[in-house]
Structures are given as structure tokens and as C-alpha cells.
Amino acid sequence: MEKDFPVATFLINITGAFLLGYVYAAARPNNLVDYWLRSAIGIGFIGAYTTFSTWMFESATLRDRRAVKTMIAYLLASLVVGLVGAWVGSRL
């Protein structure tokens, strides 16, 4: 159990990336959301919602527990799926 993939943090970060992509797209010129509101939502609310420091801490914890394969999968999946989530959010 101690070497399990950190699903909760993964899901929080992926949904945060999706939301950030959506907010970014909504704040493009001629869209409904002003730049300052995009910054407040993106940096303030979504930044607080996502958990970069927890992502790093859990990765280091997996490394310390010698769950290197799980750590690598967690890091790569978070990056790749996060980027895809941000892209999908920006396309809506």
C-alpha cells in the first residue's frame, strides 16, 4: 500500500490543468473573461487547488520507498496527462 500510485493528487492536478486551459482560452482577446480575472482565477484559485509541492513530495517519498517505477510513472503521467488536460480545456 505504501508504494501505491498517488491517485488523489494526480486527479487534482489533472483537473486543475484542464481548468487552467479552459480559463486561459476564455481570457483570449474578444472572449468573455478579462486578463486580470484570468490571472486571479488561474494563479489564485486554480493555483491553490492544484498541488505541485505535494506532487514533488509524493514523488520523493516513492523514491525513498524504492518504488522507482511507480515514481517515474507518476511523474510522467502527471506531466503528459496534465498537458493534454490543459490542451483539451483550452479547446472548449
Side-chain angles (χ1 to χ4, degrees):
M1 181 145 184
E2 62 192 17
K3 294 183 180 184
D4 290 340
F5 191 90
V7 175
T9 304
F10 180 77
L11 292 176
I12 292 293
N13 288 335
I14 299 313
T15 57
F18 171 82
L19 291 171
L20 190 57
Y22 182 78
V23 168
Y24 171 79
R28 288 185 187 139
N30 300 322
N31 286 349
L32 301 175
V33 179
D34 290 331
Y35 177 79
W36 69 269
L37 185 57
R38 175 183 81 172
S39 296
I41 293 170
I43 296 168
F45 295 108
I46 298 172
Y49 173 71
T50 58
T51 52
F52 180 79
S53 58
T54 303
W55 178 50
M56 291 295 102
F57 175 77
E58 288 177 340
S59 297
T61 300
L62 287 168
R63 181 205 59 218
D64 293 345
R65 293 180 178 159
R66 302 191 190 280
V68 177
K69 289 180 183 177
T70 304
M71 179 197 70
I72 292 169
Y74 179 52
L75 288 170
L76 291 177
S78 295
L79 287 171
V80 171
V81 178
L83 288 170
V84 169
W87 180 79
V88 169
S90 72
R91 298 294 178 215
L92 295 179

